[in-house]
Amino acid sequence: MLKKMIAVLTALVFSASAAFSVDYSGKTITIWVPFKAGGGTDAVARALTAPLSANLPGNPAVVVKNMTEGGGIGSVNTYVAKHGKDKDGLVVLATSGSTQLPFLFKDKRVRYDYKNFVAVHGAGTGGVVYVRSDLGVKDIVKDFDKLKGSKLFYGSQGISSLDAVPALAFDMLGLPVKLVYGMKGRKGGRAAIMRGETTIDYQTSSSYNKHIKPLVAKGEMVALMSWGVQKGNKIVRDPNYPNLPSFTEVYEKVTGKKPGGKEFQAWSAMFSAGFTTQKFLVLPKGTKKSVIKTWQKAAAGIVANPATMKVLNGKLGKYPHFIGDKDLKVALKKASSMKGSTYSFLKDWLASKK
């Protein structure tokens, strides 16, 4: 018994000393963002640079690199090829729904597996659907027939991306939205509607707040609905946009029935992976345990600081943050797994959109 106690104490001391041995003094930490600057993932990464620097041992410089060659999927493939065996935590990958959903869809271009990542920080987000004001639509429920009769064009980065969420939502509502492919991220979609090339768009909360909300205030764009947020088994209004109905609320009002069936099950699965558990910072699975613990401790320090969270919530919206190894594992699994029946439905639906 005494030998066993000594062994346990020795292991604890070794574990503690290993955690303290991580020191990033004089180092530069890179957040690898697989999208252009200006998008939601980029906004989250840039908002975290100063807090991470303050909470990581040695207060290293933390910089964002927008690695866009090959698009989001190609960039994550490149991260895995170049840094998949790293152990030091110097280059961390920022993922989003636009990299998670292609993995769930078994996109042939994907060369990464979420089972080979370890999450050190996670966060949810929201999204807002809006249209150009020259459509003359003010309220999505009251003016639904007018919206349905309008020429609706949506700038998409590809159906095997986060854009599958709005595309299926539009289908469920019976809106005749034409998808215009070739956009470089949601930033490209935003630029297209601002130029008048498209008429309907959505942005994640951080991008909407920064770029579109001011245009809504000027009367150039009109916000129609948010996707909502998960509350238990229900999707309710996003508290960041209390005056906007959620997608499920709009669906019920314009169709006269509650959402359900295979379509809604598929949409809910994508919403969960693309929004409820959307943004992650991940390291390769082979990263030293002491490094992973150090990163997770830094993330916990950020979330525990009210002043820091006030700044982050102001920039990104107030959404759940996932910290601690146990909660992060659950969140990452939820974001990167899907029932076989749901996948079968989506496989056919995705094929119909190509």
Side-chain angles (χ1 to χ4, degrees):
M1 180 65 117
L2 181 60
K3 288 183 178 180
K4 187 175 181 180
M5 290 178 64
I6 292 174
V8 170
L9 289 171
T10 301
L12 289 172
V13 171
F14 178 78
S15 176
S17 62
F20 285 115
S21 69
V22 179
D23 185 0
Y24 290 125
S25 297
K27 305 281 188 177
T28 296
I29 300 292
T30 298
I31 302 178
W32 180 296
V33 175
F35 308 102
K36 286 186 176 181
T41 304
D42 178 74
V44 172
R46 293 183 187 278
L48 286 172
T49 54
L52 281 172
S53 178
N55 283 273
L56 285 169
N59 306 121
V62 180
V63 300
V64 170
K65 281 195 175 182
N66 300 93
M67 310 297 287
T68 60
E69 187 174 352
I73 293 173
S75 180
V76 178
N77 288 342
T78 302
Y79 173 85
V80 171
K82 289 187 174 182
H83 300 287
K85 294 183 179 180
D86 288 3
K87 301 181 182 298
D88 54 16
L90 289 175
V91 184
V92 63
L93 173 66
T95 74
S96 82
S98 287
T99 55
Q100 279 138 221
L101 288 182
F103 172 75
L104 287 173
F105 297 156
K106 300 181 183 179
D107 190 305
K108 292 180 180 179
R109 297 170 296 169
V110 170
R111 297 289 182 270
Y112 51 87
D113 190 331
Y114 272 80
K115 291 179 181 177
N116 295 326
F117 294 139
V118 177
V120 294
H121 174 266
T125 189
V128 176
V129 177
Y130 62 98
V131 294
R132 290 181 59 85
S133 60
D134 50 24
L135 288 185
V137 175
K138 301 295 183 184
D139 184 292
I140 189 171
V141 175
K142 293 179 181 178
D143 300 329
F144 188 74
D145 288 340
K146 187 172 188 177
L147 178 66
K148 194 173 181 178
S150 301
K151 292 183 178 179
L152 299 175
F153 298 94
Y154 175 88
S156 173
Q157 58 191 315
I159 196 62
S160 295
S161 72
L162 196 56
D163 285 340
V165 175
L168 184 53
F170 297 151
D171 281 2
M172 290 173 65
L173 291 173
L175 291 174
V177 178
K178 181 177 176 57
L179 304 179
V180 182
Y181 296 122
M183 303 296 152
K184 300 297 183 182
R186 294 307 322 134
K187 181 180 179 180
R190 185 176 72 239
I193 195 172
M194 291 172 70
R195 291 192 299 263
E197 297 168 358
T198 59
T199 53
I200 188 168
D201 187 48
Y202 104 88
Q203 293 289 312
T204 53
S205 298
S206 55
S207 292
Y208 175 82
N209 292 344
K210 183 177 181 180
H211 301 287
I212 302 302
K213 199 172 182 180
L215 300 181
V216 172
K218 290 179 181 179
E220 296 177 22
M221 302 289 172
V222 177
L224 298 182
M225 65 179 177
S226 76
W227 296 133
V229 295
Q230 196 89 33
K231 188 176 182 180
N233 293 323
K234 294 182 178 181
I235 294 174
V236 299
R237 286 196 179 196
D238 187 329
N240 293 281
Y241 311 105
N243 295 324
L244 290 179
S246 68
F247 163 63
T248 52
E249 187 179 343
V250 172
Y251 180 89
E252 190 167 347
K253 287 184 178 179
V254 302
T255 67
K257 57 184 180 181
K258 292 185 177 182
K262 292 181 179 179
E263 279 187 326
F264 185 61
Q265 288 174 6
W267 188 87
S268 298
M270 293 193 298
F271 173 72
S272 178
F275 290 89
T276 304
T277 51
Q278 202 221 49
K279 308 289 186 187
F280 288 97
L281 292 181
V282 300
L283 290 169
K285 189 176 181 180
T287 302
K288 293 178 181 177
K289 289 184 179 180
S290 58
V291 171
I292 291 171
K293 288 181 179 179
T294 296
W295 269 91
Q296 291 178 344
K297 184 179 179 181
I302 291 172
V303 175
N305 188 315
T308 300
M309 289 307 297
K310 184 177 181 180
V311 174
L312 289 177
N313 290 339
K315 291 181 179 180
L316 310 174
K318 192 173 182 180
Y319 297 99
H321 284 249
F322 304 97
I323 57 173
D325 189 59
K326 184 178 179 180
D327 287 348
L328 283 166
K329 283 179 179 176
V330 171
L332 191 64
K333 184 177 181 179
K334 189 175 182 180
S336 58
S337 58
M338 180 181 289
K339 290 182 179 179
S341 57
T342 301
Y343 170 73
S344 295
F345 169 84
L346 283 172
K347 183 180 179 182
D348 292 338
W349 177 79
L350 289 166
S352 73
K353 291 294 178 180
K354 293 180 180 178

